[in-house]
Amino acid sequence: MEKKLRRAMMFMPGNNPSMLQNAGIYGADTVIFDLEDAVAISEKDAARHLVHNAIKYFNYPCEVAIRINHIQTPYGVDDLKVVLAAKPDLIRLPKAESPRDIEEVDAIISEAESRYSFAPGSINMMAAVETAKGLRNAYEIATASPRMVALAIGGEDFIADLKTTRSKDGKELFVPRSQLLLAARAAGIDAIDTVFADINDEETFIAEVNLIKQLGFDGKSVINPRQVRIVHQIFTPTEKEIAQAGRVIAAYNAAIERNSGVINLDGKMIDTPMVLRAERVLAYAKSVKK
């Protein structure tokens, strides 16, 4: 199956009609209509109906996700009751701390799929881990439902939970990012990095995106269209990387045809991990071109 790209997942406030209308023009792989932090309590009800109508009547050229309020707040269940009727592609649960959080949302989605005659399992889920407790349960959260397609780290809340502050090089998030990535990989789902709030500090943002790509993340949550272009540039394989991956696969296939167990390219032995990395680069390049 072709990999679904989630390089840039862009938040849009769910109570802003003009931003909802134009959400699809910025090239993000996923738009996330936010019903949580971006929406005041007095506007929760209006925002969830606005998001429902936007999904129902606009044809977005990308994956459409909704960040609901946590299922244990007074707003989470009502969010789902309204927005699921519009059939979003993905529900993002914030502040996940246990598999039970995922199971509760999964049950409500399943009931809605049956009520509206949607295909079973057609609405995906992802969860944001934003506390130390959530990180301890990250693998169990990631595997709590077959709907789960990604884990994200919510950096600002996580740092507050750690009782520290955010530095430019992000050293305080190195261990949480690494542990979340391991949990996502063990579960076979995507790992998505946290937002970077200072949209005018492009230099630090670029350094952070390069860091999380090197760690192995699949993408990053963003808050501004300017950040989408940067994330896509960094995550897209270069022509040199694509060419080298093609040579690795060609050398591998030639060795298979010769029934040879030894694969060499430019004097270097090609092993299975190198072949898998090459296949990933080519699959990524193919998806980007679509």
Side-chain angles (χ1 to χ4, degrees), residues 61-122:
C62 58
E63 183 175 55
V64 176
I66 301 172
R67 180 166 75 171
I68 62 170
N69 291 275
H70 193 276
I71 199 66
Q72 297 300 327
T73 69
Y75 317 107
V77 171
D78 287 341
D79 289 344
L80 289 170
K81 284 181 179 177
V82 174
V83 301
L84 287 174
K87 198 178 186 299
D89 298 313
L90 177 65
I91 294 295
R92 174 167 169 150
L93 180 70
K95 300 178 178 63
E97 290 196 323
S98 76
R100 182 61 185 161
D101 295 337
I102 304 302
E103 292 164 0
E104 287 187 38
V105 176
D106 178 286
I108 295 172
I109 295 175
S110 294
E111 194 278 330
E113 286 176 340
S114 175
R115 185 189 323 142
Y116 299 115
S117 300
F118 299 154
S122 57

Side-chain angles (χ1 to χ4, degrees), residues 88-265:
D89 298 313
L90 177 65
I91 294 295
R92 174 167 169 150
L93 180 70
K95 300 178 178 63
E97 290 196 323
S98 76
R100 182 61 185 161
D101 295 337
I102 304 302
E103 292 164 0
E104 287 187 38
V105 176
D106 178 286
I108 295 172
I109 295 175
S110 294
E111 194 278 330
E113 286 176 340
S114 175
R115 185 189 323 142
Y116 299 115
S117 300
F118 299 154
S122 57
I123 299 176
N124 292 322
M125 289 181 63
M126 68 180 291
V129 171
E130 305 180 51
T131 63
K133 181 180 179 181
L135 189 60
R136 290 290 300 268
N137 294 323
Y139 177 74
E140 288 74 19
I141 290 170
T143 55
S145 165
R147 300 182 189 277
M148 287 289 293
V149 296
L151 277 183
I153 184 163
E156 298 304 324
D157 283 292
F158 204 100
I159 287 169
D161 195 49
L162 292 179
K163 299 181 179 179
T164 183
T165 56
R166 190 164 184 176
S167 62
K168 279 205 167 187
D169 63 7
K171 54 182 174 291
E172 64 283 345
L173 283 177
F174 179 76
V175 170
R177 278 174 165 147
S178 299
Q179 291 187 352
L180 181 124
L181 178 68
L182 291 172
R185 289 290 175 263
I189 64 176
D190 287 347
I192 307 299
D193 192 47
T194 185
V195 298
F196 183 80
D198 188 351
I199 61 173
N200 294 317
D201 186 357
E202 192 169 290
E203 181 180 354
T204 305
F205 180 71
I206 289 172
E208 184 163 294
V209 178
N210 277 308
L211 170 65
I212 61 108
K213 182 192 176 191
Q214 179 61 29
L215 288 174
F217 278 78
D218 297 281
K220 188 169 182 62
S221 301
V222 300
I223 57 173
N224 187 280
R226 288 157 51 189
Q227 296 177 327
V228 172
R229 174 184 55 81
I230 295 171
V231 173
H232 284 191
Q233 286 177 343
I234 292 173
F235 269 86
T236 299
T238 65
E239 291 299 325
K240 183 178 180 180
E241 291 171 332
I242 295 169
Q244 180 63 14
R247 296 181 70 223
V248 169
I249 297 301
Y252 172 76
N253 289 336
I256 295 297
E257 289 181 3
R258 297 194 305 270
N259 291 319
S260 173
V262 179
I263 310 171
N264 285 292
L265 180 65

Side-chain angles (χ1 to χ4, degrees), residues 9-27:
M9 305 185 77
M10 185 167 66
F11 280 105
M12 292 278 178
N15 59 345
N16 187 317
S18 64
M19 294 187 76
L20 293 180
Q21 182 176 3
N22 296 320
I25 69 175
Y26 302 110

